[in-house]
Amino acid sequence: MIKQMKYFQAVVKYQNFTKAAEECYISQSAISQQIQALENELGIKLMDRDRRKIKLTELIS
């Protein structure tokens, strides 16, 4: 899960899966799969994905 969190941080930093993947030295599809696995593990959706935009979801307490 630690690597997945680092990948998530990179995606948030760049707002782009491709740039985040380059920083983490993995493929774009691999980083996307890891973020999805993290979401599944946590049981929450962390971000909304669009073809061009990434938006963090709002957490309601």
Side-chain angles (χ1 to χ4, degrees):
M1 183 192 283
I2 293 173
K3 280 189 180 182
Q4 292 171 337
M5 292 298 295
K6 287 182 181 181
Y7 298 155
F8 176 70
Q9 287 178 317
V11 171
V12 170
K13 176 181 175 181
Y14 290 106
Q15 297 290 300
N16 183 291
F17 278 87
T18 302
K19 288 180 183 176
E22 289 172 1
E23 179 178 290
C24 297
Y25 302 103
I26 63 172
S27 69
Q28 183 275 329
S29 61
I31 203 165
S32 182
Q33 290 171 357
Q34 290 298 311
I35 298 298
Q36 189 172 26
L38 178 62
E39 290 176 324
N40 291 338
E41 190 172 332
L42 296 173
I44 59 171
K45 189 174 179 182
L46 296 171
M47 58 183 70
D48 292 318
R49 297 161 180 85
D50 190 326
R51 289 184 183 240
R52 299 245 177 218
K53 294 182 181 179
I54 297 167
K55 181 180 176 188
L56 294 178
T57 56
E58 292 185 35
L59 298 177
I60 300 171
S61 17

